[in-house]
Amino acid sequence: MSPSKKSLLFSPLTIRGVTLKNRIVVSPMCQYMCEDGMVNDWHLVNYGSFATGGVGLIVVEATGVEARGRISPGCPGLWKDEQIEPWKRVTSFLKTQGCVAGIQIAHAGRKASTLPPWIGRDSIDDKDGGWPTIGPNAVAFGDRADKVPKEATVEDIEEIKKSFVSACERAVKAGFEVIEFHFAHGYLVSTFLSPITNQRTDKYGGSLENRMRLGLEIADSVRKALPQNIVIGARVSVTDYVENGWDLKQTIEFSKQLKKLGLDFVDCSSGGIVSTVNYGPLNTNETHLTAAAAVQKEVQIPTAAVGKIIDPLFAEKILQDNGATLIFIGRAFLNNPHWVYTAADALADEKSFKYPNSYNWCIGWQNGGKWRKEINTDKNNN
């Protein structure tokens, strides 16, 4: 980036009155550390470390709208009021660090009732603590997630839509200002969207209009139920990586309809619909970036770029090229919760980035930024 050009990565962004201090977002990453859907000290420390690292927005992990919608027994939920206060403890701390709290609201559908990944992702039998699952049709995901879901009735669908609204209302009470629907990766809504997994013959299956119906009805119901200052977006899989599956063209149409309903951004991910293709091949990054740029251009809605973004200069280039509006980062933050500090060395100054006070006095821009200047001078000389 030219020295004279202002960094977009460290520029604030305001949506519906909610201001992010920069465009860097912690992508939702499942932790599998809950009991009965309740978050705990692990979540406070995990998300708190990112907040002290200077990130603008944290979108916490996939949170179930009902107990049946959890991926695993260790996943969080917002299907009952008792789950509000533990989340509020987390969001309150994030706000003290100038970080906006977001949450990914989800229903795992036929990929629910599975073991944590470090054990094997196998389906858990009901007699061993698992639970019945649900999907557009009575077809299992496959591989080790072999539990056959119940085919959702229209009555089931109505209850699920209500569960999304109730969970989102609880999220607002818990202090979240940004909500992201998880409409990707082969979870419930994703399986309704994809022609690979949706073989229904009623109003929720067949044509693109019908396959989009559940996701759009959820989005519409939630947008109408929540205060207008709550930012709402959706993560979508832009491709199934399968012939005759969900693709970018359908993603663009779905995004247009979401925008009409008042959604504020689209987070472009991919895959997860079939057991033989998890979250995309080696060119996942290119697939996501191409889609994020296309959706942003065609739909005129802010998009999030996600997938193996590690280099701050590359993140900046994505924004400068109008390839996205937000940069979602996952694994790089697990490797370095203070990744933003590294990005600030290359792209920020005392006006666009500030360390927490407890750090700023010794490594920040204090005393004319002497310490930062030394670091940057050494870096330039090397």
Side-chain angles (χ1 to χ4, degrees), residues 38-40 81-91:
M38 300 281 193
V39 298
N40 50 51
D81 290 346
E82 291 80 1
Q83 292 159 334
I84 295 174
E85 199 59 36
W87 268 130
K88 196 169 186 178
R89 181 170 173 242
V90 175
T91 64

Side-chain angles (χ1 to χ4, degrees), residues 137-287:
N137 299 104
V139 179
F141 174 64
D143 195 17
R144 291 177 294 183
D146 57 1
K147 180 173 285 190
V148 178
K150 173 189 178 184
E151 181 169 315
T153 65
V154 173
E155 291 74 21
D156 290 327
I157 290 171
E158 289 301 316
E159 288 304 312
I160 289 168
K161 288 191 292 183
K162 291 177 183 177
S163 296
F164 268 88
V165 172
S166 297
C168 290
E169 289 175 333
R170 292 189 182 98
V172 173
K173 291 178 182 178
F176 291 102
E177 296 179 83
V178 176
I179 288 173
E180 177 182 86
F181 299 129
H182 199 346
F183 288 172
H185 298 169
Y187 297 121
L188 184 68
V189 174
S190 178
T191 56
F192 272 81
L193 291 171
S194 175
I196 299 296
T197 47
N198 187 342
Q199 302 300 317
R200 298 176 71 94
T201 57
D202 63 1
K203 67 179 182 178
Y204 288 100
S207 67
L208 175 59
E209 179 183 4
N210 285 355
R211 287 184 281 113
M212 292 191 301
R213 192 181 304 277
L214 176 58
L216 296 179
E217 288 180 345
I218 289 170
D220 188 38
S221 297
V222 171
R223 179 72 279 174
K224 288 176 178 176
L226 298 191
Q228 287 301 302
N229 64 339
I230 299 298
V231 178
I232 303 178
R235 170 166 282 187
V236 297
S237 284
V238 299
T239 176
D240 290 337
Y241 298 104
V242 178
E243 187 177 357
N244 298 319
W246 184 263
D247 56 20
L248 179 55
K249 182 179 179 181
Q250 294 173 89
T251 299
I252 289 173
E253 181 57 32
F254 186 47
S255 300
K256 287 178 179 178
Q257 298 305 316
L258 290 172
K259 181 183 178 183
K260 288 180 182 178
L261 296 175
L263 264 65
D264 303 298
F265 68 92
V266 175
D267 176 7
C268 297
S269 189
S270 66
I273 202 71
V274 295
S275 60
T276 53
V277 182
N278 192 17
Y279 299 116
L282 293 177
N283 66 344
T284 294
N285 181 282
E286 182 180 344
T287 299

Side-chain angles (χ1 to χ4, degrees), residues 36-37 93 96 110 129 146 222 247 279 328 342 350 382:
D36 192 29
F93 180 77
T96 67
R110 69 177 187 170
D146 57 1
V222 171
D247 56 20
Y279 299 116
F328 275 44
T342 301
E350 65 272 23
N382 292 331

Side-chain angles (χ1 to χ4, degrees), residues 360-373:
N360 194 54
W361 69 271
C362 62
I363 65 169
W365 305 100
Q366 300 295 326
N367 301 316
K370 182 175 183 292
W371 176 246
R372 305 308 305 170
K373 288 177 180 176

